[in-house]
Amino acid sequence: MTLRGVFLALAAGVPAWAAPSDPTSLLGVTAGKNGTLSVPMQIVILLTLMTLLPAAVMSVTPFLRITVVLHFLRQALGTQSTPSNQVLLGLALFLTIIIMQPVAAEMYHQGWEPMEAGQLSVEQAMDRAAAPLHDFLLRFARERDIRLFIEVARAPAPHSPADLDLKILIPAYILSELKAGFQIGAVLYLPFLVIDLVVASVTLSVGMVQLPPVMISAPFKILLFVLVDGWNLVVGSLLRSFYR
């Protein structure tokens, strides 16, 4: 829907007693020529939409799974705030760029370039650009989650996966990524949990009750993680999980 359509829809929903005397003004918002919104109002709407961009990037990209896994890994190591949140988010962001680069390039070639050349309208370009993202989300969204949101939205059953709407596919993808991230996090926890149990049983058996077992197990967990080259294994496994 264009800005003009939004403006007209809002104007239609205003009661008669609340309608301003100036036909080009609505609730203090001045419209430009031909009923379009004024430039300041368009800037406000654009800035509002830009605030939603980080949430979209985190939700419809591998950024979601990567951040969940890295958070579980830090908790399993017991290092509290090391690496810091900025380091983990930066690593997750660059890994996301690596994974999404082919998808973004395809969206650019199918949508933006034809629109810039005047071959497609804005709506047609958006539909063309959404196709690569649709295929990417469909690869990792579970059928069970897709069925759930189809039932909740009371949408008709699609004839093929290509007929799925993004409003169904995006939340299904988010749920699927959360499940995958928690599964990987649980697997990462297991070896470090074994170390915690062994250290706790040893400290209790020798009577070291007042010494927290975490203080003794933390160096062993870090040493094990370094010896097996844990960062390479974790990051490599995360990247390979998106190239299946």
Side-chain angles (χ1 to χ4, degrees), residues 71-109:
H71 174 76
F72 273 111
L73 176 61
R74 187 175 64 179
Q75 294 294 322
L77 286 172
T79 54
Q80 301 301 323
S81 59
T82 304
S84 63
N85 290 330
Q86 290 81 359
V87 173
L88 293 183
L89 292 178
L91 176 60
L93 180 60
F94 281 104
L95 294 179
T96 302
I97 293 174
I98 293 174
I99 298 171
M100 293 299 295
Q101 184 177 2
V103 179
E106 192 174 355
M107 293 173 66
Y108 176 79
H109 294 315

Side-chain angles (χ1 to χ4, degrees), residues 44-63:
V44 171
I45 294 176
L46 178 62
L47 293 176
T48 303
L49 294 177
M50 288 182 64
T51 59
L52 303 176
L53 183 61
V57 171
M58 290 186 293
S59 300
V60 299
T61 62
F63 188 88

